Amino acid sequence: MRVVTNTAITVDGKIGSARYDHVAIGTPVDRQYMSVLRARADAVLVGGRTFRNWPLPLVPDPAALAALAASGFPDAAHPPLEGRSWWNVVLTRTLDVPKAGRFYEDPRVRPLFFSATAGEVPKGEVVVGEVTIPGVLAALAARGVETLLVEGGGDMIAQFLAAGAVDEIYLTICPLVLGGRAAPTVVDGEGFPFDAAPRLSLGHVNRVGDELYCRYVVQK
Ligand SMILES: NC(=O)c1ccc[n+]([C@@H]2O[C@H](COP(=O)([O-])OP(=O)(O)OC[C@H]3O[C@@H](n4cnc5c(N)ncnc54)[C@H](OP(=O)(O)O)[C@@H]3O)[C@@H](O)[C@H]2O)c1
């Protein structure tokens, strides 16, 4: 399975403020590009905290895709959307997640929770047990997922990188500085020893206004 991550970051690598609330770091163009990456995936995955902050359908927005293509953005191509649905995957220890709202109402969303705690959700499936990245990948492969988009947060991306599971890292570098030792970064967790740090090569970089859209390939 191909695993890609996508994150909007500040110049100092932050993905949110120290309050861990939802903040829009990128411009509307970044939001539109998020739809492209979702359209190229079969499944979109977030951690429990990111889902609580933004419990919306993790699916492409046709209007955003059309606007991005019309703007001449250099990497706007995507497969057709007609008739498709997307696994929307949430990893949680607590299953302390919203139990109502658009996430459960959108017919394109196939909710799939991997949870260490048993419980009910209004639609979709809860896979209960110890949540490990290899286990999640195996379960997604068994459901036919070929491309998984991990949207964060930093805790989640750190675990996928530590498992050696990430193939590509998409970053939108946005022109602001949030700072703060306690603010989440694109890769949190314990960190890597320098010798074991994942090494990357730059696949492409596109500039739109003051934002840089980068694709890095993880060297295996
Ligand atoms: N700028 C961006 O592009 C971007 C993208 C995503 C997120 N964000 C922001 O970044 C911050 C996210 O912070 P974060 O890194 O703490 O959040 P996160 O990665 O979304 O979520 C961490 C949560 O994931 C669950 N989790 C992690 N490891 C698990 C495991 N092995 N088994 C089961 N569940 C596991 C737990 O959920 P439970 O607490 O439910 O048990 C944990 O609290 C938020 O402020 C968010 O809004 C920004």
Side-chain angles (χ1 to χ4, degrees):
M1 185 186 310
R2 184 169 154 261
V3 178
V4 308
T5 70
N6 180 40
T7 319
I9 65 169
T10 64
V11 164
D12 55 327
K14 305 298 184 189
I15 62 169
S17 78
R19 295 172 58 191
Y20 275 78
D21 48 1
H22 175 68
V23 290
I25 290 175
T27 60
V29 176
D30 174 61
R31 290 302 165 103
Q32 292 163 358
Y33 191 49
M34 176 187 274
S35 275
V36 170
L37 298 180
R38 288 177 176 180
R40 292 176 184 168
D42 313 299
V44 184
L45 181 149
V46 292
R49 175 133 63 177
T50 295
F51 184 64
R52 283 190 288 278
N53 274 354
W54 208 36
L56 296 178
L58 306 167
V59 295
D61 171 8
L65 293 170
L68 194 68
S71 75
F73 188 87
D75 188 33
H78 61 83
L81 305 184
E82 288 73 28
R84 292 178 60 195
S85 58
W86 284 261
W87 294 103
N88 278 194
V89 186
V90 181
L91 269 51
T92 171
R93 296 187 182 90
T94 59
L95 202 59
D96 173 20
V97 294
K99 302 282 181 1
R102 281 171 49 199
F103 181 78
Y104 301 101
E105 293 157 9
D106 191 318
R108 299 170 301 162
V109 173
R110 303 175 80 178
L112 177 56
F113 295 85
F114 290 88
S115 175
T117 305
E120 303 273 325
V121 291
K123 177 185 163 194
E125 198 182 341
V126 182
V127 177
V128 181
E130 188 192 354
V131 183
T132 66
I133 302 307
V136 169
L137 292 175
L140 293 178
R143 286 165 175 78
V145 173
E146 293 178 359
T147 302
L148 170 65
L149 172 63
V150 178
E151 291 194 337
D155 183 3
M156 221 69 283
I157 293 176
Q159 293 184 49
F160 276 84
L161 273 171
V166 179
D167 297 293
E168 293 170 43
I169 295 174
Y170 286 80
L171 290 179
T172 304
I173 303 175
C174 306
L176 73 161
V177 173
L178 276 170
R181 231 175 257 115
T185 70
V186 63
V187 181
D188 285 330
E190 297 298 311
F192 298 99
F194 183 76
D195 289 345
R199 261 54 179 190
L200 317 175
S201 54
L202 182 60
H204 71 224
V205 59
N206 293 307
R207 176 181 174 177
V208 178
D210 290 324
E211 289 181 332
L212 293 178
Y213 291 80
C214 306
R215 179 175 71 90
Y216 290 93
V217 179
V218 181
Q219 295 175 10
K220 298 279 179 170

